[in-house]
Amino acid sequence: AGFSYEILRNHLLDLNIESRPLWKPMHLQPVFKKCDFYGANISKEIFEKGLCLPSGSDLTDKERLRITNAIKAIIIN
């Protein structure tokens, strides 16, 4: 995309739009560090690059448009 999730997160924060990093995959949680893991680490890659955006069922159309426009502003620049 040409920018990091941290750039997007900070841009949204400047606009008072809350976002957060994705949840850490279970196999990377400290409590499971001694457990066997079977997989290709796709979830780890997504965790390192992903961002949770506002997505509540109570978001208004106006709020969704505001979030969308904020994201578009980063993509266009």
Side-chain angles (χ1 to χ4, degrees), residues 57-69:
S57 60
D58 60 339
L59 284 175
T60 65
D61 289 341
K62 184 178 178 180
E63 290 169 325
R64 281 192 292 275
L65 183 60
R66 184 169 166 264
I67 295 163
T68 302
N69 287 337

Side-chain angles (χ1 to χ4, degrees), residues 1-49:
F3 56 90
S4 70
Y5 82 89
E6 191 63 14
I7 289 172
L8 177 56
R9 189 188 68 76
N10 284 320
H11 173 70
L12 295 174
L13 185 62
D14 289 343
L15 298 173
N16 201 30
I17 298 172
E18 186 178 356
S19 62
R20 62 171 180 75
L22 295 178
W23 294 105
K24 185 179 280 192
M26 296 298 289
H27 72 284
L28 298 177
Q29 299 285 341
V31 69
F32 298 112
K33 69 181 177 183
K34 294 183 181 180
C35 296
D36 292 335
F37 168 70
Y38 303 94
N41 271 323
I42 293 170
S43 60
K44 180 181 177 191
E45 292 175 23
I46 293 171
F47 167 67
E48 292 171 347
K49 298 176 184 177

